Amino acid sequence: MSTNNLHIKMKSDIIRTISSMVGKSYGPDCQQTLLCTSTGMVLVTSDGMCILQGLHLGHPIATVVVKAIQKHHLMTHDGTKTFTLYLSQALTGLDKTLACSPSTDNIGSSLDQLGYVTARQLTRIEHDVLPKIWRELSQSSVVVNAGGKLPLINLRSVINTCLESHLSKHTRHVFVELVVSSLGVSESDILTDIPVGVLKRRVTFMIDNFDLLHFKLSKQLCETSSVLPGFLLRRDFSVKHPQLGEKGDIKFLMLFCSVEGNTCENPDEVVHLRDEETANTALSHRVTMTTKYLTGLKQKDVSLILCSETVPQFARSLCRDLGISVISCVEQEDIHFIERITGLQAATSISSPVDGNQTGQLSHCDRIVLGSQRLVHLQFSKTMRFILPRTIVIAAPTDGLVDQLRTAVYKSYKSVEMCFAFQMIPNRDDVHGEISCPERTKCLTTPSDSGEFCVIGGGGFFEMRVACMLKNLSNNFTDGKTGHGSRVLHDGLLSVPRHLHKHLSPNLGTEGKDYLEKMQQLLAAVAEGGVAGLDRKGRICSPVDAGILEPLASKVLTLTSVVQLLQQLLRIDAVVSVQKLEALEMHSDDDM
């Protein structure tokens, strides 16, 4: 067993290294990072979580930090780079403060004690100061018309802001239109308003079923991406009648068994038959059962069967003669999805009569070719939840770029969803010394009847606003209970506008007169209650007027998670090498 002492400078250096890996891809139209493996695989990305997951972490502190970021990412699917900036600058500022302190007599004789005192102050800030700030910010962040409707320009601004750090300007414009269209907004409705309850249901539906409602198409231009009304089955027709759908709506049935009626047959089973007559009798029985069932479906005007099993040749011939189209080997997940959105029940036996709860109507059903794949495009005449599914086709020249676009689109849906999270009460789980982010889901309330769509100006406004409020609430950092912790967070928050200015105005940097003058103007405007930030060219602007909007809940959750992780890091003073961690946890639980 070995023990290594940990000082704040060491923690600061480790986290600063992590931040430097993702900080280059911060802000709109940011740089890309090339990830490569020892086997020659490469990936170009600007996604912070993707970069962190590709790092080889050699220090336990780095592992703790990345795990905390991963748990945070599970909630918001965004904010990784902002998280590392907050954390890195907070620890760097604390390290400089400790190094420059001529004396610490007022709080202890050692620099480590100052770190512990700062951790206690951060705890007080988390429970007493930050809730006051969140309440004040939430009161001015709701963007909803009197009738409970959301101006679509605000929805587009949230999506555009989310995609800025991942896509170029032209590609971003294409995918903003796609995401808005996938939420059921047509081009003619783009200047109107949408009820927030409807929007919430639609975006939740897209997130919950995203794996089924998107299709990746490589070797195509990004501009060919599109939104298809309805649902794509990743199967082709086994039998397609030439007149399918020509007479109006298509009556369909889902069959969760074989058309031969045996759902438990073992394909490897060996059956010994005494003679040819016995074999013909066994086969004729199957043919008779299948013929009777398919004839009954035809009498009920069923013209399409979605079957989960393979349809044998003789059954396909029967369907062709009866004018019934068949799609075989449909995935179980696809059948369950159709059951959820239509309220239908798949038939599980051909011996049971078909009732109205097992048949539905399609307004459109046809083969579609995307790339080299043949699929079936389904459009439903009626859905149970008043949400007609829409499938977004994500196209790009390479598989890697398709995956990047897929991640960016999913993030944009999550960003819209986070706008409905108007109340946040973080929970903690200190039993094993880790930040408990998944448990916060229960405290992130999103009632559909609230009519609240909470956003806040981007471009560094949130950070400057919170920094000014921390400064005021701690009496200019002189409060003995929260002063030093407030200064640490203040310095961490202001790293965001500094990095934005450095990225958006690379020729001016963050050391010159222009930067200092801008920061003075911004902080003065924010301190007086104004809304000011940096636009996409590094100029001072009103983020709301510039269309730079971010979910308030996402920013709140990021800063709260950083505050909790800072407390944990400041209380760690040593790394102990052990043989088996599970045994120690077991004894620890017994002692408790």
Side-chain angles (χ1 to χ4, degrees):
M1 182 180 71
S2 61
T3 302
N4 296 319
N5 293 328
L6 284 177
H7 302 292
I8 291 181
K9 179 173 177 53
M10 182 182 296
K11 302 172 191 175
S12 175
D13 291 342
I14 293 171
I15 296 171
R16 187 163 56 247
T17 301
I18 295 175
S19 179
S20 66
M21 301 300 294
V22 299
K24 295 179 181 178
S25 58
Y26 188 77
D29 302 321
C30 60
Q31 299 179 5
Q32 301 277 325
T33 299
L34 175 63
L35 304 177
C36 61
T37 67
S38 58
T39 58
M41 296 181 63
V42 297
L43 174 65
V44 179
T45 182
S46 62
D47 183 68
M49 180 51 60
C50 186
I51 296 172
L52 285 182
Q53 289 176 339
L55 297 179
H56 297 286
L57 304 174
H59 198 281
I61 287 293
T63 302
V64 170
V65 171
V66 172
K67 282 186 176 181
I69 297 175
Q70 288 174 338
K71 289 183 178 181
H72 167 76
H73 189 263
L74 288 174
M75 185 66 194
T76 63
H77 280 266
D78 203 2
T80 298
K81 289 169 278 190
T82 303
F83 192 111
T84 59
L85 282 178
Y86 287 169
L87 187 63
S88 174
Q89 187 57 45
L91 277 178
T92 300
L94 181 59
D95 179 39
K96 291 180 179 179
T97 300
L98 297 178
C100 298
S101 296
S103 173
T104 59
D105 294 337
N106 58 326
I107 52 177
S109 58
S110 69
L111 298 181
D112 287 335
Q113 282 184 312
L114 181 55
Y116 302 150
V117 170
T118 304
R120 290 196 295 269
Q121 290 190 1
L122 289 173
T123 302
R124 190 181 299 274
I125 292 172
E126 177 193 352
H127 295 293
D128 298 337
V129 179
L130 292 183
K132 298 178 182 178
I133 297 177
W134 305 153
R135 282 193 293 270
E136 183 172 338
L137 290 177
S138 64
Q139 291 173 358
S140 59
S141 67
V142 179
V143 184
V144 175
N145 287 342
K149 294 186 176 182
L150 172 72
L152 285 179
I153 188 172
N154 296 120
L155 174 62
R156 291 165 58 86
S157 296
V158 171
I159 297 172
N160 187 69
T161 303
C162 176
L163 296 178
E164 274 185 330
S165 62
H166 304 285
L167 309 179
S168 62
K169 181 178 180 180
H170 176 69
T171 305
R172 184 170 68 244
H173 175 74
V174 171
F175 278 88
V176 168
E177 298 299 329
L178 286 178
V179 172
V180 172
S181 177
S182 69
L183 295 175
V185 181
S186 63
E187 291 290 339
S188 59
D189 297 331
I190 215 66
L191 298 178
T192 60
D193 303 330
I194 182 172
V196 291
V198 173
L199 175 62
K200 183 176 183 292
R201 286 194 296 269
R202 289 177 179 177
V203 73
T204 302
F205 177 78
M206 289 298 298
I207 291 173
D208 292 342
N209 302 284
F210 184 72
D211 288 340
L212 296 171
L213 294 177
H214 84 279
F215 182 81
K216 298 190 293 186
L217 181 62
S218 60
K219 299 180 181 179
Q220 300 290 333
L221 296 177
C222 297
E223 291 77 5
T224 60
S225 299
S226 60
V227 174
L228 298 176
F231 177 57
L232 288 180
L233 274 179
R234 273 69 168 174
R235 297 290 178 189
D236 194 7
F237 286 99
S238 298
V239 177
K240 186 179 187 297
H241 194 272
Q243 297 181 353
L244 179 66
E246 290 185 358
K247 298 181 180 180
D249 285 355
I250 302 166
K251 195 172 185 179
F252 75 98
L253 174 135
M254 295 177 290
L255 190 58
F256 222 150
C257 65
S258 171
V259 293
E260 300 175 272
N262 190 351
T263 60
C264 303
E265 185 177 73
N266 182 1
D268 298 325
E269 182 181 3
V270 177
V271 180
H272 297 280
L273 300 175
R274 293 191 300 271
D275 49 39
E276 184 177 351
E277 182 179 355
T278 305
N280 291 333
T281 302
L283 292 176
S284 64
H285 176 71
R286 290 191 174 189
V287 173
T288 301
M289 291 287 292
T290 303
T291 303
K292 179 180 179 181
Y293 184 70
L294 294 177
T295 303
L297 292 182
K298 183 61 178 178
Q299 293 174 352
K300 292 181 178 293
D301 296 326
V302 174
S303 54
L304 175 65
I305 298 175
L306 308 180
C307 184
S308 62
E309 306 293 332
T310 302
V311 178
Q313 180 61 44
F314 81 88
R316 293 202 297 269
S317 298
L318 284 172
C319 289
R320 193 175 292 109
D321 295 338
L322 293 171
I324 299 177
S325 300
V326 179
I327 305 173
S328 61
C329 300
V330 178
E331 295 289 342
Q332 179 178 344
E333 187 178 16
D334 292 337
I335 292 180
H336 287 328
F337 173 72
I338 296 175
E339 286 181 325
R340 291 197 306 272
I341 65 174
T342 61
L344 301 175
Q345 296 178 356
T348 57
S349 173
I350 67 171
S351 60
S352 302
V354 177
D355 57 34
N357 293 329
Q358 296 176 332
T359 58
Q361 299 287 334
L362 294 172
S363 60
H364 175 81
C365 177
D366 203 357
R367 177 182 289 118
I368 184 173
V369 180
L370 294 176
S372 60
Q373 299 188 53
R374 289 188 171 190
L375 310 100
V376 178
H377 182 204
L378 306 177
Q379 293 187 47
F380 302 92
S381 300
K382 181 181 179 181
T383 56
M384 186 177 182
R385 300 187 179 183
F386 309 102
I387 298 178
L388 294 177
R390 294 170 176 82
T391 302
I392 182 168
V393 179
I394 304 174
T398 65
D399 292 335
L401 186 54
V402 170
D403 289 333
Q404 288 187 56
L405 294 174
R406 175 195 178 279
T407 301
V409 169
Y410 185 76
K411 279 188 173 183
S412 66
Y413 289 128
K414 288 295 294 184
S415 183
V416 175
E417 184 189 47
M418 290 299 294
C419 294
F420 293 99
F422 70 95
Q423 182 179 355
M424 188 170 300
I425 307 172
N427 291 335
R428 293 178 59 89
D429 182 10
D430 293 331
V431 175
H432 298 297
E434 292 185 355
I435 304 302
S436 177
C437 290
E439 286 78 359
R440 295 195 192 104
T441 308
K442 300 177 182 178
C443 299
L444 195 62
T445 57
T446 57
S448 57
D449 298 332
S450 67
E452 293 188 350
F453 187 86
C454 298
V455 294
I456 195 166
F461 166 70
F462 170 83
E463 287 75 16
M464 290 183 289
R465 178 65 174 152
V466 175
C468 290
M469 296 176 74
L470 284 171
K471 186 176 181 179
N472 293 335
L473 292 174
S474 63
N475 296 322
N476 202 19
F477 311 126
T478 60
D479 189 306
K481 296 181 179 180
T482 61
H484 193 67
S486 296
R487 181 183 291 276
V488 168
L489 294 181
H490 177 275
D491 294 342
L493 288 164
L494 293 185
S495 65
V496 168
R498 181 167 62 253
H499 274 77
L500 283 175
H501 188 272
K502 183 178 180 180
H503 170 67
L504 299 173
S505 306
N507 296 328
L508 301 176
T510 57
E511 304 296 337
K513 180 180 178 182
D514 179 77
Y515 168 72
L516 297 177
E517 290 179 350
K518 283 183 181 178
M519 285 302 297
Q520 289 178 354
Q521 295 177 33
L522 287 170
L523 291 174
V526 172
E528 294 176 359
V531 179
L534 297 174
D535 66 7
R536 296 171 179 89
K537 294 184 179 180
R539 301 170 302 193
I540 297 178
C541 71
S542 170
V544 177
D545 296 337
I548 308 174
L549 299 177
E550 297 178 293
L552 174 62
S554 181
K555 305 293 285 186
V556 168
L557 182 58
T558 300
L559 182 56
T560 305
S561 300
V562 169
V563 171
Q564 295 181 352
L565 182 58
L566 272 172
Q567 298 171 47
Q568 183 181 17
L569 292 175
L570 292 176
R571 290 188 174 102
I572 298 175
D573 60 356
V575 176
V576 181
S577 177
V578 297
Q579 292 183 350
K580 192 174 182 180
L581 191 58
E582 291 80 5
L584 293 180
E585 290 179 349
M586 181 181 65
H587 289 299
S588 177
D589 291 340
D590 291 341
D591 293 340
M592 293 176 63

